[in-house]
Amino acid sequence: MTTTTHLRTGPAPRRAPGAPGRHALPARSPSRLWRGPASTPPWERPLLLVLLLGTAVLYLWNLGASGNANEFYAAAVQAGTQSWKAWLFGSLDSSNFITVDKPPAALWVMGLSGRIFGFTSWSMLVPQALMGVASVALLRVAVRRWAGPDAGLLAGALLALTPVAVLMFRFNNPDALLVLCMTAAAYTAVRAIDVAHRRAGLGWTAATGALLGLGFLTKMLQAWLVLPALAVVIVLAAAVTWRRRLAMLAVGLGAMVASVGWYVLLVDLWPTDSRPYIGGSTDDSFLDLVLGYNGLGRILGGEGNGGGGGPGDGSGNTGFGGSTGITRMFNESFGGQISWLLPAALIVLVAGLAVTWRAGRTDRTRAALVLWGGWLLVHALVFSFMSGTVHAYYAVAMAPGLAGTLAVGGTLLWRRRELLTARLALVAALAATTAWSVVLLRRTPEFLPWLRWVVAVVGIVAVVGLLAGAVTRHAWARRALPVLLVGAVLAGAGGSVAYAVDTAATTHSGSIVSAGPASADGGQGGPGGGGQDGGGQGGQPPSGARPDGGAQQGGQQGGGPGGTTTASAELTTLLQGAGTTWSAAVVGSQGAASLELASGTAVMAIGGWSGSDAAPTLEEFQAMVVAGEVHYLVASGDGGGMRGRGGTDSVGSQITTWVQEHYAATTVGGQTVYDLTSPTTS
């Protein structure tokens, strides 16, 4: 970037101290809002406003069409609007029997919105969409500080238009807050490095740790996958002594532990008989939730984390994300979600590091490549080789790293295009992206069939033109450059943008969702992508099927254990008139969630998410029935519990058997219901 200096003859005009310059704009004028500070390029602020407004429209348009989205979390949000204790602990029901199997930070945000505006689809999902806009804005400013305004805007646009990001920022899973926390932590780390020599550097580092702690309270260990990149870039790029850099890491670690520890202590010190059971744990503790199937188990496999060869064997988890291995990010589950620009990002990362290899230790461009490239690589490797349960939408957490890497590396190579290495790397990145986009578009042959031909033709022309320009100095190459760049953008981003727009225009519900158009066999995002409540495909369990291969619970209609239970008007009226602490009990959280949302009452989820949590025991349930705390039991179609995990000895099976032996069954709205206030035998 060149700077032009204008010389003036004669003395400069004098002005009073503090008075604005002759060309200064009032601080609050509309022109200042549109053009930004005088130090910014004239094109930056208009493009930034277009980016943020466009992202808001993409994420907010027709947002309520998805209804309750994932009913598991929607029921917990509703419960949080009815009970502050349920809000604090993330309870599935307002009477606080059991929590969801995640920490509650994301539910806190949606629950507060529901308390302010009333519980609706919009009040629940709008905070998620706004988190997406905030993530785009924070990524842009974080990248801008070290790589320039053009790289910042490019990074923000790439994140905004990543298909899986569009999906998750319009959905009620915890991933939206997770991405926001991680992106904000990267921004504060950048600020900490910039002012490391001052006391403010420690303050920004503490903020980084606190944000990662909040991310942990959103989705546990996944928030800390960005830690290696943040720690390395602080050690590498902070222009201070080793002692100061170690102090920064210590302050950040202390802040992170403190921001997590208060909640862990709150849960573990709270009397267990006065709080809900910690869903997903084996011993009703938060620590077991972190270390068990929903924490380390997701990476290592084991109990409750089915692999490809069967439940709990950790052999690859082909039931959800495809077989483990270095190619998993490109397979039929993950490919259409995140990998459109992944080959280009890897190419520009390697080339960018090669170009900056001899730069000084604190070089900011290389530091940016280390930060965003480290983020990308750690996530890609963990997701590729984790043996436990993995869903394709997890990839949203690597989207900021992917966008930042491509933006920083791409703009660096473009600025250094006088180097043959940089020019050839740009051509290779475009060629790889064009070829891979065609492959991905062929996985959904009925979706805009002409698009893959446009991408292929335009991409080939752009590659040939850029390659010719890379090896020649003729004037035609410079004159054709704008046209070639437009073609490169169309070829590189055309497929991803089409998938992103299609995702925003499509409703999503259930627990297994993915971005992109439906394939020929009814799934989303290409074969194996998993879908809405239509059938699954390519190794993805069909809607309503359990990943362990067993039958779904009775009345569920989609998403495996994350499916829904249809609540008829008759059953809803029955539950609303129950007048007990829990209007009913049902095996599994998803059946309970659907009944809660329909009736507005508290429904006990026996066994939690999978039906295999040890809550309540048979004796505890019998005592609750005797005390008149549960009015009905709504039967599950498989006789109780997730037999693939809990078997006939699960609490669901035991309770269902006992109820069947002592209470008469009636049919209400097509559902089998037992009235627990009228035993048939003593």
Side-chain angles (χ1 to χ4, degrees):
M1 185 179 295
T2 59
T3 302
T4 303
T5 303
H6 299 280
L7 301 178
R8 86 168 54 240
T9 58
R14 300 180 63 184
R15 60 185 177 89
R22 184 162 58 94
H23 299 292
L25 294 171
R28 300 179 181 276
S29 70
S31 297
R32 171 58 61 87
L33 175 66
W34 179 251
R35 296 188 56 184
S39 60
T40 62
W43 47 264
E44 181 183 9
R45 183 59 66 89
L47 289 180
L48 172 60
L49 295 176
V50 170
L51 171 63
L52 296 182
L53 289 175
T55 302
V57 171
L58 182 66
Y59 291 173
L60 290 167
W61 184 263
N62 200 29
L63 186 61
S66 291
N68 289 320
N70 189 337
E71 293 193 342
F72 179 61
Y73 295 116
V77 173
Q78 177 181 265
T81 65
Q82 298 169 338
S83 163
W84 281 113
K85 183 183 288 188
W87 176 85
L88 175 63
F89 288 106
S91 298
L92 183 69
D93 61 281
S94 58
S95 292
N96 294 288
F97 173 70
I98 196 169
T99 70
V100 299
D101 60 353
K102 300 288 190 301
L107 300 175
W108 290 342
V109 179
M110 291 184 283
L112 286 177
S113 177
R115 281 188 172 270
I116 295 171
F117 301 106
F119 175 73
T120 64
S121 176
W122 272 89
S123 70
M124 178 176 63
L125 296 179
V126 164
Q128 305 289 93
L130 296 181
M131 289 177 196
V133 178
S135 297
V136 168
L138 281 170
L139 178 63
R140 172 257 167 190
V141 72
V143 171
R144 184 192 192 280
R145 291 190 70 87
W146 288 353
D150 47 355
L153 288 170
L154 178 58
L158 291 174
L159 174 59
L161 292 170
T162 300
V164 71
V166 177
L167 173 70
M168 284 292 102
F169 288 129
R170 293 174 57 90
F171 207 64
N172 61 340
N173 278 21
D175 301 76
L177 182 57
L178 172 71
V179 172
L180 177 59
C181 289
M182 296 168 70
T183 307
Y187 169 73
T188 55
V190 168
R191 295 298 303 270
I193 293 170
D194 282 344
V195 295
H197 60 288
R198 301 201 302 265
R199 180 175 298 179
L202 295 179
W204 283 110
T205 308
T208 301
L211 286 164
L212 291 177
L214 180 59
F216 185 92
L217 294 180
T218 302
K219 212 174 178 189
M220 296 184 293
L221 294 173
Q222 188 177 347
W224 291 355
L225 292 182
V226 75
L227 261 177
L230 297 180
V232 168
V233 79
I234 288 175
V235 171
L236 175 69
V240 291
T241 65
W242 266 106
R243 180 176 298 180
R244 181 72 172 184
R245 280 175 273 167
L246 291 177
M248 293 173 67
L249 293 179
V251 168
L253 178 62
M256 186 175 69
V257 172
S259 63
V260 173
W262 74 270
Y263 188 76
V264 176
L265 291 175
L266 173 72
V267 172
D268 287 347
L269 295 179
W270 198 291
T272 56
D273 58 356
S274 180
R275 65 160 171 80
Y277 184 92
I278 305 302
S281 69
T282 59
D283 61 0
D284 194 18
S285 74
F286 189 84
L287 184 60
D288 183 77
L289 177 64
V290 174
L291 300 178
Y293 95 95
N294 217 4
L296 292 177
R298 295 296 172 110
I299 298 176
L300 304 176
E303 182 66 27
N305 277 280
D313 68 356
S315 62
N317 196 20
T318 56
F320 288 110
S323 299
T324 58
I326 197 66
T327 61
R328 179 185 265 182
M329 292 299 97
F330 301 94
N331 70 12
E332 294 182 329
S333 291
F334 280 90
Q337 312 300 298
I338 191 68
S339 73
W340 297 87
L341 300 173
L342 185 54
L346 296 176
I347 291 171
V348 301
L349 174 60
V350 173
L353 290 174
V355 169
T356 59
W357 186 254
R358 296 184 181 276
R361 177 179 68 82
T362 61
D363 180 76
R364 291 297 186 255
T365 303
R366 187 176 64 185
L369 288 171
V370 171
L371 171 59
W372 305 111
W375 179 326
L376 172 63
L377 291 177
V378 170
H379 278 82
L381 289 174
V382 170
F383 290 156
S384 293
F385 291 98
M386 60 189 293
S387 298
T389 301
V390 57
H391 296 289
Y393 64 76
Y394 290 179
V396 69
M398 65 186 283
L402 172 61
T405 301
L406 191 55
V408 174
T411 53
L412 167 66
L413 296 177
W414 179 252
R415 293 167 188 161
R416 302 291 299 274
R417 61 187 180 275
E418 72 279 1
L419 300 175
L420 181 61
T421 300
R423 295 198 296 262
L424 293 179
L426 289 172
V427 172
L430 176 59
T433 300
T434 299
W436 184 237
S437 294
V438 172
V439 172
L440 290 175
L441 288 170
R442 283 173 59 85
R443 292 180 179 176
T444 51
E446 295 182 0
F447 174 70
L448 302 179
W450 52 267
L451 181 58
R452 61 180 179 270
W453 294 105
V454 172
V455 168
V457 172
V458 173
I460 291 173
V461 171
V463 167
V464 172
L466 290 175
L467 184 61
V471 297
T472 183
R473 298 285 184 176
H474 289 296
W476 71 264
R478 293 192 299 272
R479 290 193 296 268
L481 191 58
V483 177
L484 293 175
L485 287 178
V486 172
V489 170
L490 176 60
S496 179
V497 171
Y499 264 50
V501 173
D502 183 84
T503 301
T506 304
T507 61
H508 296 86
S509 61
S511 67
I512 304 174
V513 292
S514 61
S519 63
D521 53 4
Q524 291 290 117
Q532 308 156 55
D533 291 342
Q537 75 278 24
Q540 186 85 358
S543 179
R546 295 207 312 266
D548 58 19
Q552 66 180 19
Q553 293 186 22
Q556 289 188 355
Q557 296 183 356
T564 60
T565 295
T566 302
S568 64
E570 296 88 343
L571 182 57
T572 298
T573 301
L574 185 71
L575 299 185
Q576 289 172 339
T580 50
T581 304
W582 291 277
S583 62
V586 63
V587 175
S589 292
Q590 287 306 283
S594 299
L595 294 177
E596 286 180 25
L597 291 168
S599 66
T601 64
V603 177
M604 178 183 295
I606 299 172
W609 166 260
S610 65
S612 61
D613 289 355
T617 64
L618 176 59
E619 293 74 16
E620 289 171 340
F621 185 78
Q622 290 170 338
M624 293 176 185
V625 171
V626 171
E629 295 178 337
V630 187
H631 201 136
Y632 302 102
L633 184 135
V634 181
S636 298
D638 64 359
M642 298 282 286
R643 292 194 186 278
R645 295 177 184 174
T648 57
D649 293 331
S650 67
V651 294
S653 291
Q654 295 174 17
I655 290 173
T656 301
T657 299
W658 175 76
V659 169
Q660 290 172 340
E661 291 174 350
H662 294 85
Y663 297 89
T666 59
T667 301
V668 179
Q671 291 288 113
T672 301
V673 177
Y674 297 86
D675 186 345
L676 303 182
T677 65
S678 303
T680 58
T681 61
S682 58

